[in-house]
Amino acid sequence: MSKIQFFVCTTHTDSIATVKRIIEASKPTFEWEMVSAHPTDTAAVKQHLLTCHAIIGDPSIAHLLSSPEKSCPNLKWFQSTFAGIDKFLKMSPPPHGPTGTRPKFAVSRGASLFGPAMAEYIIGTTITTQRHIYQLKQIQSTGASPFGIVEQASTFPLVSQLRVGILGGTGSIGQDIARRFYALGATVVGAGRKERKEGEEWLQKQVESEWDKRLPKASDSFSSFISLEGDDAQHQNKLRAFLKDLDVIVNVLPSTPETHYLLGGRKIDGTDGFTEPLSVCKPSSILVNVGRGTVISEAAVCSALNKGFIRHAILDVFEEEPLPPTSALLKLNPSLITLTPHVSGIPQSADFMESLLNFNIPQFVRGMEKEAKGGKWEWDLRYLVNWEDGY
């Protein structure tokens, strides 16, 4: 076996030392080396792609992996530092869908890296909305007394009284959100895209950090799950049944053809209208979207708020990013909507990848040792991308 090369290519430069330490702790029986480059240094990135076997890096370089037999002939594994795989889906030839050309290298998502921060964002903004903090700040900015709305500010539900529905709840991020809401006493229900066979687990296996172990287990945090799988009519019926009793609707689903305008905006044949599944929601409910902006159209968000289908929308993702100044969302009354610039899941520690790498790097090392003995590595990694499903 030739020397195995690990390539670290991320803006989180502190990760370089972490990767080296974990490789050393894995005690490879083969020769190896580690190289690094900043993702914006295209010339250096291209050079390292020609020789590397494993990448721990940002997906911003995914476009350089097109025609992989030429651009990265030795590559066996790409560990992304992001949860989303949008940029990988744009590789050439297209890798996803039933007829996609699957790459010969494994891609694993940084799914466990962002969930805790996203969960805190969702819980924090939900409580801030429920307790009228935005309105109180607006009143304060005018110099008026907050006691002018004391009756309104005194009326709010406790988190323990909330029914929280998580679209995409079976994945790592959905589980992180569920565990934290449940720890505060909320009732949590989940919806996944795929039906499960009898005996098949609903929940994806997680990589846990030490602090995650202090929380309730994900399997204990959900009171129920449903599958949204089915034809268009079944799909919409299942979705509406799921939405109608919720106090907080959380979307963490990725952008795929199946999730496009799932929560509203799909054209209705023969009319000028579009689907509005949020019409069945409680008027007091809150929508939080931290998944992808394409899950609901801007028009559907505005309609749901203006018609009173929901009380408030908290959006961290948008159809177009950065959000253009012409967006209709910016024209809504701020009491109806909270907009943030795709920052809900940004990690706040230098070792944000350590828990995941502590699992996946040793798995890769053992896989390479197996191949050196004539065997085949089975890609036994956490958060491995399923190209057929597109996530």
Side-chain angles (χ1 to χ4, degrees), residues 220-275:
D220 295 330
S221 300
F222 289 93
S223 64
S224 65
F225 288 102
I226 69 159
S227 162
L228 299 177
E229 190 170 8
D231 59 33
D232 285 347
Q234 292 172 326
H235 187 78
Q236 282 296 309
N237 288 338
K238 288 181 178 182
L239 177 61
R240 288 170 183 264
F242 178 74
L243 295 173
K244 67 184 180 68
D245 294 324
L246 299 178
D247 299 296
V248 184
I249 305 131
V250 178
N251 175 65
V252 294
L253 288 169
S255 178
T256 69
E258 291 75 24
T259 65
H260 189 75
Y261 290 174
L262 172 72
L263 287 175
R266 294 178 179 176
K267 293 294 183 184
I268 299 174
D269 291 342
T271 75
D272 294 328
F274 51 79
T275 56

Side-chain angles (χ1 to χ4, degrees), residues 10-32:
T10 172
T11 55
H12 298 277
T13 54
D14 292 328
S15 298
I16 296 173
T18 300
V19 171
K20 184 178 181 182
R21 174 167 48 79
I22 295 173
I23 297 171
E24 290 172 342
S26 301
K27 298 180 179 180
T29 58
F30 50 78
E31 279 193 273
W32 64 276

Side-chain angles (χ1 to χ4, degrees), residues 183-200:
L184 293 173
T187 299
V188 185
V189 294
R193 289 182 290 169
K194 295 288 185 181
E195 192 65 69
R196 298 298 194 271
K197 297 175 183 176
E198 186 176 349
E200 186 178 359

Side-chain angles (χ1 to χ4, degrees), residues 57 59 78-85 88 107-115 172-173 345 347 352-353 356 360 382-385:
F78 193 126
Q79 172 62 64
S80 176
T81 57
F82 283 45
I85 65 164
F88 290 100
V107 177
S108 50
R109 303 178 297 117
S112 66
L113 312 179
F114 307 97
S172 174
I173 292 173
F352 76 108
M353 286 195 67
L356 178 56
N360 276 353
R382 286 288 185 268
Y383 313 127
L384 191 66
V385 169

